């Protein structure tokens, strides 16, 4: 379970010329899923509160976003690792605790949108979602199938065009793309309410070949170990 994380540690210590093309420039941002599997004697509340304490004490690793999946023992993080070789201060802790960990490099959706020809500044999406209690994580996976490169790029471009309209109408969201090949995976973290669910419905019914998954999440700072 932990091989991915240590592999990324080694990869992150390589110079950019080794890592690859310019699109890899934000390879020091990561989505980290930490799953606490059931175990005799395990106190889930105490473990999650200990994770919160550990995150607060990290140096050269900035926690951009931190959530807990509602109804599941999963902590979801987006980290910026300014000095990648400082990973062990977190990885050694997670390994010692015996958690299941998945690490995925990500970069900003706004960078993707600009590469597709849209006029979108990096601050168009939120980088923090501090004040909202009701949140979702939405994951879109865009399948290639029989599309040409130009057609596939246009599907992604239209998704960002819809995003721009939704955000200009008052919706807020943080957005990242998985740093990988195909199919493209895009993740949104967004506050929801009765009216804002209409924006999600618009995404669900949008044209295009993609899978869409929604998880209910809460700010990790709001997790106090009580009943959900």
């Amino acid at each position: 379970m932990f091989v991915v994380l240590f592999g990324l540690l080694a990869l992150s210590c390589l110079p950019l010329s080794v890592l690859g093309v310019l699109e890899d420039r934000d390879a020091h941002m990561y989505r980290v899923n930490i799953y606490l599997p059931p175990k005799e004697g395990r106190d889930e509340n105490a473990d999650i509160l200990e994770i919160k304490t550990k995150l607060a004490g990290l140096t050269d690793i900035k926690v951009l976003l931190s959530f807990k999946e509602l109804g599941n023992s999963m902590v979801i993080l987006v980290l910026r690792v300014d000095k990648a070789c400082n990973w062990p201060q977190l990885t050694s802790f997670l390994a010692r605790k015996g958690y299941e960990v998945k690490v995925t490099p990500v970069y900003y959706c706004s960078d993707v949108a600009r590469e597709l020809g849209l006029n979108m500044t990096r601050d168009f999406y939120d980088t923090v979602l501090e004040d909202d209690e009701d949140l979702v994580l939405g994951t879109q996976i865009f399948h290639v199938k029989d599309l040409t490169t130009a057609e596939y790029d246009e599907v992604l471009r239209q998704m960002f065009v819809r995003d721009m309209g939704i955000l200009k109408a008052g919706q807020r969201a943080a957005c990242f793309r998985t740093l990988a090949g195909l199919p493209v995976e895009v993740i949104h973290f967004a506050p929801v309410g009765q009216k804002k669910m209409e924006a999600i419905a618009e995404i669900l019914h949008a044209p295009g070949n993609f899978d869409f998954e929604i998880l209910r999440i809460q700010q990790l700072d709001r997790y106090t170990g009580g009943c959900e």
Side-chain angles (χ1 to χ4, degrees), residues 46 63 185 195 200:
V63 182
E185 179 179 283
K195 291 183 178 179
I200 293 176

Side-chain angles (χ1 to χ4, degrees), residues 117-136:
L118 295 175
N119 182 20
M120 183 185 290
T121 60
R122 180 168 283 185
D123 61 0
F124 191 80
Y125 291 99
D126 283 288
T127 55
V128 293
L129 296 169
E130 295 178 344
D131 302 320
D132 300 283
E133 291 185 332
D134 298 319
L135 297 158
V136 294

